[in-house]
Amino acid sequence: MDTFYESSMLIINEKELLQKVQTHNNVHEITVQVPGGLRKRALKIADFLENAGYTVFISADPCYGACDLKEQGDLLIHVGHTRMYSPHIPVIFAEVYDDYDFIPFQK
């Protein structure tokens, strides 16, 4: 399996995410931070990363965007937002894609 599906529309490429995690040396503890609408996704990401040998924490704090990073652990995976500043710990900004076809609604 190469993707996580929250619903039929939202996709995170797990293969790409793991490759990004593996580029960071000496990472043992990973914190996953997601906005409220993607909370279920955090559990799937944590399971996947734990199966790859990492200790994973899920931030339960509210998340208001990339300016509100939870800087804990060796690495932060921040889902759904893009980099706004350089944090104190390494951060992977995991992209979320929508595979829904909006073209029929544009007509």
Side-chain angles (χ1 to χ4, degrees):
M1 179 167 89
D2 288 338
T3 55
F4 294 116
Y5 284 91
E6 175 70 22
S7 67
S8 61
M9 294 186 258
L10 301 177
I11 301 168
I12 295 175
N13 186 318
E14 70 181 31
K15 189 176 192 179
E16 179 181 304
L17 181 59
L18 184 58
Q19 288 173 344
K20 288 180 180 181
V21 169
Q22 291 171 337
T23 64
H24 296 274
N25 296 324
N26 299 321
V27 169
H28 304 287
E29 295 181 348
I30 299 173
T31 300
V32 176
Q33 182 181 30
V34 298
L38 297 173
R39 292 283 166 124
K40 291 180 187 176
R41 181 65 53 91
L43 294 171
K44 294 176 185 178
I45 293 170
D47 286 343
F48 170 72
L49 292 171
E50 286 174 345
N51 288 335
Y54 297 97
T55 300
V56 181
F57 302 97
I58 299 171
S59 173
D61 293 341
C63 174
Y64 300 104
C67 63
D68 186 27
L69 300 178
K70 189 70 169 180
E71 298 185 38
Q72 292 181 331
D74 302 319
L75 177 70
L76 170 65
I77 295 176
H78 185 85
V79 179
H81 300 111
T82 57
R83 180 180 302 275
M84 292 184 68
Y85 67 94
S86 296
H88 295 94
I89 66 168
V91 178
I92 294 172
F93 290 88
E95 297 175 347
V96 179
Y97 296 98
D98 191 334
D99 71 347
Y100 190 80
D101 183 10
F102 288 98
I103 300 300
F105 294 103
Q106 293 178 347
K107 295 180 182 179

